[in-house]
Each structure stands twice: as structure tokens, then as C-alpha cells.
Amino acid sequence: MTTAKRDTYTPETLLSVAVRVFNERGYDGTSMEHLSKAAGISKSSIYHHVTGKEELLRRAVSRALDGLFAILDEPGAGQGRAIERVEYVTRRTVEVLTAELPYVTLLLRVRGNTGTERWALDRRREFDQKVAELLKAAVADGDLRADVDIKLATRLLFGMINSLVEWYRPHPGGNADREQLADTVVHLAFDGLRTVR
Amino acid sequence: MTTAKRDTYTPETLLSVAVRVFNERGYDGTSMEHLSKAAGISKSSIYHHVTGKEELLRRAVSRALDGLFAILDEPGAGQGRAIERVEYVTRRTVEVLTAELPYVTLLLRVRGNTGTERWALDRRREFDQKVAELLKAAVADGDLRADVDIKLATRLLFGMINSLVEWYRPHPGGNADREQLADTVVHLAFDGLRTVR
């Protein structure tokens, strides 16, 4: 029944196994041997689907990046005042991060040793830059404080959002959970923890 | 002149080399051979100072933890309204993190495979818990919003602060720099980015 077992493997399931192993061992520390063992299929079966581990990395981080960049094309990110758009993007970034947790975790751990890693870092910077531009527009509108350095604020905002990968673990059917989390991040970032004076 | 060279090594300089190597290669990925090469002294010279790499790890994370816990004993952390104390602790945490950057970076990367790592994780949790208690007291005083989950707020606050290790690099003589950074973190966390309504 070797054939049947092999047939259950799609590029999609192989990808989810690879992402788990990359997150556990680090990309550099993962060999095709590790992937083969974790997936329970031979190395040659893996090569039937992909050219090697770098292709798996590229597919995995692409999934995270596509999810993030898609936010910017949503109506909420393009319509209304800049402050509303930046709040929308912040909320949706938390939602994509929690929905695609292993993929975004891998993206955030990429360090830049291979071409794929450097490409992923560039794309991440591009996304952060788009958010920084929205923040700048909201400052120009007078809706965000002008006395905060935008570059620093963007870094701290993403620092807070991205820290979710360290501790957030999805509940089964936890959409309400995710929405509450996104609400809290938006409140903290834009209104602060202090009671309204 | 072997003796002279060996004499330039103090436990302190060995520690700073070890912390750099641990941060670069990961603690698990660092051998005594790596430490010996990086320090430019023989393994037996290292064993003259410490029992092994776990002792170096313990000393390094202790330095970070001692710096953080010392904040809680400062007058600013113990006097005044809870909101003022929690702002003080937030500000000082940023200052300690940036002043002891490699040590705190190592502390935040500890994952818990050895006794020392588990101990460090427990101590970190203890520190976070003290800050969570201060936040709770500030909510009880009516100074912080009651509609935000304290555990979540604590995690997001530390997520934002701890993200500094990913990108903050000290300037020579950059104390002003550090103060500005601490100011921004406190403003963002407690007042938010929005202009005061």
C-alpha cells in the first residue's frame, strides 16, 4: 500500500509538515532527511513535489506574505481617513497572523542567509513601509500624534503585533478569541491603556 | 607570552564573548570549541574560569535578570500611584534592556531545555507577573482601562518592549537616544498614538 500512502501527500500537506519542522529546528538546521522523516515519505517522493527545501521555504513564506499583502487591497485599507485605514490594517494583520500562525512565525524568523530569505525580508520591509506611510498620512491629518517618530512607532507597533507568534495558540473554533485579540491590539496601540481623561 | 595573553582574560570578558557567541549560534548550537575559538584561549583556560557553557549561560542571564529585578526595588517602582509605578517600571525596563542588550537578548531567546534555561524562564515569568500586578492595581485605581484583559495587556506590553532586541542598536554615547526610546514606549503603551480628543 505504498502507493496509497504516497497518494495522500499533496504539495499542501507536505508544506504544512515542512513549516512545522522549519519552526521547530530552524530552517538552517533542517535537512531533507528531517523532512522525509517528519512527512513519513521518502526523499525522492519529496523531490517529486518540490526541487528542495528552499522551494518549501519560499512557498511557506509566500503564503504568509500573500496573506499580509492582500490586506492592503481590501476596501477597508483603501477607503476613508488614514487613521481608519491604519486601524483596519492593524486589526487585519493580527487576524492574518493568528489565522496563518505557523507561516507567519516562519516568516518572522527568517534571517537572510539564502536568496529566498533575503527576498522574504525585503517583502516584509515593503509591508512595514506601507503601514508606515499610512501612519504618516494619519499624522498629516492631525489624527495621530506628531511628536512620535513614525519609524519608531511602526517598529513598536509591529513589535507588539509580531510578539503574538511567541505565545498565541489558537482555540478550536476560536474566531471570537481572535477578534478580541485584534480589538485589544488596536485599542492599546491607538488609544493606550490609560482611561480617557 | 602565553601567560600574558591568558592574564588579559577575566571572567567578565569571557562572559561577554560567550554571550555574543550564544546570540549568534544559539545556546544549543554553541560548543566549548566555539567558545574557545571566539575567545582565542584554550578550552582548559575556559575551564579555569567556569565549569562549562551552562555556567556561562547562567551568569549571562543572571546579569539580565538582576538588572530587571533591581528596577522593582527602586523608589520609583514602590512609591506613588500604581499608574506612576507601572510607567516607571516600563521606562526603566526599556533602559535596562537597551543598556544590557546582549544579555537581555540571550534571556529572551532562552527556550527551556536545561535546568538553567527553565530557571531563567521562571524568573522572567515572575518579573512579568510583578508588572501584571502593578497593572491590575492601576485598573483598580481607575487609572487604566478596565475593559482590557490584564494578562493580554501585559503580554502585548512586553511584546512591544522585548521586540527592541530585534532592531535596537546602541549609538556611541547614546543615552539621549535611550531616553527618547523609553519615552516613546511609555507614551504608546499608556496614551496610544492617537491625538488627545
Side-chain angles (χ1 to χ4, degrees), chain A residues 87 111 142-145 152 155-156 159-160 163 166-167 181 184 187-195, chain B residues 87 111 142-145 152 155 159-160 163 166-167 181 184 187-195 197:
Chain A
E87 285 193 12
R111 282 293 166 266
D143 291 328
L144 289 187
R145 298 150 51 110
L152 180 54
R155 280 175 158 164
L156 292 172
M160 182 166 67
S163 73
E166 301 299 331
W167 57 266
L181 184 59
T184 306
H187 280 313
L188 202 160
F190 297 100
D191 302 316
L193 289 171
R194 205 191 300 274
T195 42
Chain B
E87 286 192 10
R111 281 294 165 266
D143 291 327
L144 290 187
R145 298 152 51 112
L152 180 53
R155 278 173 159 166
M160 183 166 67
S163 73
E166 302 298 332
W167 57 266
L181 184 60
T184 306
H187 279 313
L188 201 160
F190 297 100
D191 301 317
L193 288 172
R194 206 191 300 273
T195 42
R197 289 124 294 175

Side-chain angles (χ1 to χ4, degrees), chain A:
Chain A
M1 294 297 285
T2 319
T3 320
K5 188 169 181 200
R6 199 179 290 151
D7 280 346
T8 63
Y9 261 85
T10 63
E12 187 64 15
T13 53
L14 177 59
L15 190 63
S16 77
V17 171
V19 167
R20 180 168 53 76
V21 181
F22 290 156
N23 281 331
E24 280 167 14
R25 310 188 64 97
Y27 175 69
D28 288 339
T30 302
S31 65
M32 286 299 278
E33 192 64 36
H34 293 133
L35 294 175
S36 158
K37 274 194 188 146
I41 58 175
S42 67
K43 280 198 265 183
S44 63
S45 298
I46 297 181
Y47 284 118
H48 175 73
H49 292 298
V50 292
T51 56
K53 71 169 190 166
E54 194 169 346
E55 186 180 336
L56 286 166
L57 178 69
R58 185 165 182 118
R59 285 192 192 184
V61 296
S62 290
R63 178 160 156 172
L65 287 163
D66 289 351
L68 292 171
F69 275 94
I71 296 169
L72 303 175
D73 293 328
E74 291 170 3
Q79 290 162 6
R81 287 178 79 87
I83 176 72
E84 286 159 18
R85 288 186 281 144
V86 78
E87 285 193 12
Y88 178 85
V89 170
T90 301
R91 178 182 307 278
R92 291 285 297 124
T93 299
V94 173
E95 287 168 358
V96 167
L97 186 148
T98 51
E100 301 285 355
L101 191 63
Y103 298 90
V104 180
T105 301
L106 183 63
L107 174 67
L108 296 177
R109 290 189 184 162
V110 149
R111 282 293 166 266
N113 297 320
T114 62
T116 297
E117 287 169 277
R118 282 189 293 274
W119 166 80
L121 282 176
D122 282 347
R123 293 283 284 161
R124 256 189 76 187
R125 254 182 239 118
E126 209 183 306
F127 183 79
D128 292 5
Q129 187 53 40
K130 299 273 185 197
V131 177
E133 280 161 22
L134 276 179
L135 285 169
K136 205 179 272 179
V139 171
D141 288 347
D143 291 328
L144 289 187
R145 298 150 51 110
D147 61 342
V148 172
D149 178 76
I150 292 293
K151 201 172 159 193
L152 180 54
T154 309
R155 280 175 158 164
L156 292 172
L157 178 62
F158 279 108
M160 182 166 67
I161 295 173
N162 295 343
S163 73
L164 295 179
V165 305
E166 301 299 331
W167 57 266
Y168 175 80
R169 295 299 169 263
H171 294 207
N175 278 336
D177 189 50
R178 279 214 283 269
E179 268 175 47
Q180 200 215 329
L181 184 59
D183 276 350
T184 306
V185 171
V186 170
H187 280 313
L188 202 160
F190 297 100
D191 302 316
L193 289 171
R194 205 191 300 274
T195 42
V196 180
R197 289 123 295 174

Side-chain angles (χ1 to χ4, degrees), chain B residues 62-79:
Chain B
S62 290
R63 177 159 157 172
L65 287 163
D66 289 350
L68 292 171
F69 275 93
I71 296 170
L72 302 175
D73 294 328
E74 291 170 4
Q79 289 162 7

